[in-house]
Amino acid sequence: MSSLPYPEAPQPRRSLRTEVLENRPVNKDGFVQEWPEVGMVAMDSDFDPRPSIRIENGRVAEMDGRERADFDFLDQFIADHAIDVDAAVEAMALGPRTVARMLVDPNVSRAEVLRTARGLTPAALLETVRQMNIVEIMMGMQKMRARRTPANQAHCTSARDNPLQVAMEAAEASLRGFSELETTLGVVRYAPLVAIALQVGGQVGRGGRLTQCALEEATELDLGMRGITAYAETISVYGTESVFVDGDDTPWSKAFLAAAYASRGIKMRFTSGTGSEVQMGNAEGRSMLYLEIRCILVTKGAGVQGLQNGSISCIGVPGAVPGGIRAVAAENMIASMLDLECASGNDQSFSHSPMRRTSRLMPQIMAGTDFVCSGYSSTPNYDNMFAGSNVDAEDYDDWNAIQRDYQIDGGLQHVGEPEILAARSRAGYALQAVFAHLDLPAITEREIETAVYAHGSNDLIPRDVLEDLKGAQSVMDRGVTGLDLVKALHERGFADIAENLLTVLRSRVSGDLLQTSAILDANLEPLSAVNDANDYAGPGTGYRPTGERWEQMKRLRHVTSAENPELEVS
């Protein structure tokens, strides 16, 4: 008998193409099977309720198969505050297919769809969008967007919480066309300095940019009350009672907080998104989109003008299941269908694949939303303190090319380097002046010069963190307000920036920022669903970039003269 070992079984031969495909970036992404019993399903679940409603004595007695006595507090809030009982019976009788066709039919006005949507239950809204493919959802988004003119929002953050960097990124983002600017912190105690920096930088050049500092709710409200920020959006709502309770909240407590913001003219919107409940382990066996629709209706019932949705920080969850990105687009459309401002996501990293990142973006940028991104990272993603965005500063030229390719307006434009450097420099010197006026830690000439030419925080001169934190606390202790910033800017020779900031503060006092989808236009006048209502009614109608705006969008970093191929005309 031979003592020689048996020969190894031959390994299956793998093709070179398979090896190439295995190494593609998309195969670093996570994909999972559906698990409807725990809510790990986008929008097609047998565990979601069927649409129904019964009105008795002017109030909802039964909704989506549940009697009033069995309502949880979301059911009760939605039934009492979000459903129009006068419209409900007629709207529900139409059926989901009819409502879906109303959304895409140019002969049915936006106003008529809004009247119908006011009477629809969560399950009826879900059944409606289940009838629609992604192109039809985009058609609905284009028609139902509240403000006629699309816009965009930037994240202006720093991995080092460096206020000088944030001011300069805000100035550049303003120049590039962003209407809103948002920041957050790694160290919360830095918030006053970084919020001041964002506000100052956002008023450089054209100015009139609305700013927010996303923090825990008490500090965020305090900064807003002082006029150091102009809006808020990180007030989260959830689609199950158990998740709400985990956060020590209810729909009524969120509505009360919304009223506190509104009482001071501070623009605010709630935040929600598909996948949040299953990510937190309390989906109660419902689909992601059904639970998100409940969030949208809570927002509507609370009287809040808008919603940040599009899965937001949970995008990896719907992004992993079949049809998940379709569901994300559907939640954006439903928010608009209920006449809410929609800041439509695209603000969180979710894929290693450049192609998937772009496909995630296309429904919102093609159809146009109130804010195509609720956080385009104006910095390289290593500086993005919201855990990275779907698009960042390195994508500016690609974004501008996409706008030009399709003649669609994503809110941005190409800007030449000299103009950008000048804006960054002016923001740096303005912030230096404000810090000196308020007796905050000094900003040196060398810091400014380095930051003007920097790409990200890795290129900056480190600041004295301890002294900055002492200065930040002094801002809170001394009761510094937005008017103090105006005074500092004016007295230190930055009257134009001071006037821009004062205009933002006046818009709060007048209540103009409480209008649905409010921003400030190039003349620092309010632009909202009130005076810029979406009038899309089919081909040849609605917003489309023309005239000066289209000429602006045609310019890219490198465009060759048609008459002289040796000449660049940008």
Side-chain angles (χ1 to χ4, degrees):
M1 189 173 182
S2 173
S3 61
L4 294 175
Y6 292 106
E8 291 185 10
Q11 296 296 314
R13 185 175 179 183
R14 175 176 263 186
S15 78
L16 296 178
R17 179 166 297 163
T18 296
E19 290 184 4
V20 169
L21 291 173
E22 283 285 358
N23 290 315
R24 292 285 293 170
V26 71
N27 288 310
K28 297 178 182 178
D29 292 356
F31 301 99
V32 299
Q33 288 182 314
E34 294 164 307
W35 188 3
E37 290 83 356
V38 300
M40 197 69 178
V41 60
M43 57 190 289
D44 293 301
S45 174
D46 292 336
F47 296 96
D48 288 332
R50 303 279 74 84
S52 64
I53 200 162
R54 189 175 75 252
I55 309 297
E56 293 180 355
N57 300 319
R59 71 174 186 170
V60 178
E62 180 272 335
M63 183 174 70
D64 294 342
R66 185 177 286 183
E67 294 292 328
R68 189 175 186 90
D70 299 321
F71 283 177
D72 64 14
F73 63 41
L74 278 95
D75 292 322
Q76 183 180 340
F77 191 87
I78 290 167
D80 291 348
H81 301 290
I83 303 292
D84 182 348
V85 294
D86 294 327
V89 174
E90 182 179 349
M92 293 289 287
L94 291 172
R97 184 165 295 183
T98 297
V99 178
R101 289 176 174 175
M102 292 170 66
L103 282 161
V104 300
D105 186 348
N107 297 304
V108 178
S109 69
R110 180 177 185 271
E112 186 175 346
V113 177
L114 292 177
R115 284 194 297 271
T116 298
R118 286 199 294 267
L120 298 179
T121 67
L125 288 164
L126 176 63
E127 288 298 325
T128 296
V129 295
R130 286 177 64 177
Q131 307 293 317
M132 304 171 74
N133 63 33
I134 187 60
V135 175
E136 292 159 347
I137 289 169
M138 291 165 65
M139 291 171 68
M141 291 167 71
Q142 178 175 232
K143 176 174 172 175
M144 299 311 298
R145 179 178 71 245
R147 189 180 58 245
R148 185 176 189 269
T149 309
N152 216 330
Q153 181 198 114
H155 285 164
C156 300
T157 60
S158 168
R160 297 182 179 179
D161 295 333
N162 187 310
L164 181 60
Q165 180 187 5
V166 170
M168 291 192 183
E169 300 296 1
E172 180 175 341
S174 174
L175 202 58
R176 290 185 180 274
F178 292 100
S179 296
E180 290 186 349
L181 311 173
E182 178 185 22
T183 193
T184 193
L185 293 304
V187 178
V188 174
R189 290 168 58 201
Y190 245 119
L193 297 191
V194 173
I196 287 171
L198 186 71
Q199 184 72 279
V200 170
Q203 307 314 320
V204 171
R206 198 211 81 168
R209 305 313 189 181
L210 307 183
T211 68
Q212 74 146 323
C213 188
L215 301 162
E216 48 80 24
E217 289 171 354
T219 304
E220 190 168 355
L221 180 61
D222 192 356
L223 291 171
M225 292 286 191
R226 292 166 180 253
I228 295 175
T229 58
Y231 76 102
E233 73 177 359
T234 50
I235 294 85
S236 298
V237 290
Y238 304 100
T240 65
E241 184 172 308
S242 48
V243 174
F244 248 121
V245 170
D246 279 349
D248 294 324
D249 267 315
T250 71
W252 290 270
S253 66
K254 293 294 188 181
F256 181 83
L257 181 59
Y261 279 104
S263 72
R264 297 299 184 270
I266 305 170
K267 175 181 178 177
M268 70 91 68
R269 50 183 171 255
F270 283 168
T271 290
S272 60
T274 48
S276 63
E277 296 82 11
V278 68
Q279 182 165 290
M280 298 173 74
N282 282 303
E284 298 178 1
R286 308 299 195 189
S287 72
M288 299 179 201
L289 185 56
Y290 172 75
L291 297 180
E292 171 57 18
I293 291 169
R294 298 180 94 198
C295 297
I296 298 169
L297 285 165
V298 165
T299 304
K300 184 68 175 177
V304 176
Q305 67 86 32
L307 181 67
Q308 174 186 223
N309 78 349
S311 195
I312 314 304
S313 58
C314 304
I315 187 63
V317 180
V321 299
I325 301 305
R326 171 177 166 242
V328 170
E331 67 178 280
N332 295 149
M333 190 204 70
I334 293 168
S336 298
M337 185 180 173
L338 292 169
D339 206 22
L340 297 170
E341 171 190 75
C342 180
S344 55
N346 287 302
D347 61 343
Q348 182 83 45
S349 299
F350 90 107
S351 176
H352 297 84
S353 163
M355 188 177 290
R356 279 194 87 206
R357 290 197 302 118
T358 304
S359 74
R360 160 74 183 89
L361 165 70
M362 296 316 286
Q364 293 78 24
I365 192 173
M366 287 240 178
T369 64
D370 295 303
F371 296 95
V372 176
C373 298
S374 48
Y376 183 125
S377 182
S378 69
T379 63
N381 258 339
Y382 76 77
D383 264 323
N384 190 289
M385 298 306 291
F386 292 94
S389 177
N390 190 45
V391 277
D392 73 359
E394 297 174 10
D395 297 312
Y396 279 139
D397 290 356
D398 303 75
W399 183 285
N400 292 333
I402 290 171
Q403 291 184 143
R404 185 180 189 265
D405 289 342
Y406 289 104
Q407 197 171 352
I408 51 177
D409 196 341
L412 305 188
Q413 64 261 346
H414 173 69
V415 184
E417 184 179 37
E419 195 174 353
I420 288 172
L421 295 178
R424 291 177 69 94
S425 177
R426 187 157 174 78
Y429 283 110
L431 189 66
Q432 180 190 54
V434 169
F435 273 31
H437 188 90
L438 296 177
D439 196 26
L440 297 172
I443 295 172
T444 67
E445 296 285 324
R446 185 162 165 259
E447 281 182 276
I448 293 174
E449 182 180 359
T450 301
V452 166
Y453 294 92
H455 180 44
S457 62
N458 289 347
D459 309 316
L460 303 181
I461 298 170
R463 286 184 58 79
D464 187 327
V465 174
L466 183 59
E467 288 304 308
D468 272 354
L469 293 179
K470 290 178 182 176
Q473 186 59 49
S474 77
V475 168
M476 305 305 284
D477 292 343
R478 290 182 286 159
V480 172
T481 70
L483 285 176
D484 292 316
L485 305 185
V486 172
K487 182 179 179 181
L489 288 163
H490 191 272
E491 292 185 0
R492 296 280 178 149
F494 296 90
D496 57 328
I497 304 175
E499 183 59 36
N500 289 345
L501 177 52
L502 187 60
T503 300
V504 173
L505 296 176
R506 284 197 197 104
S507 297
R508 280 184 44 177
V509 174
S510 66
D512 286 334
L513 299 186
L514 300 182
Q515 299 171 11
T516 300
S517 304
I519 55 176
L520 297 181
D521 67 13
N523 298 313
L524 275 63
E525 295 291 335
L527 191 72
S528 73
V530 173
N531 63 349
D532 186 42
N534 187 3
D535 58 356
Y536 178 80
T541 68
Y543 176 82
R544 53 204 68 213
T546 56
E548 182 182 348
R549 174 58 180 149
W550 177 224
E551 293 303 315
Q552 189 180 52
M553 289 167 57
K554 291 178 183 179
R555 295 193 289 271
L556 300 176
R557 188 174 301 277
H558 299 290
V559 178
T560 302
S561 166
E563 297 176 352
N564 180 0
E566 302 297 321
L567 177 67
E568 283 196 351
V569 295
S570 291

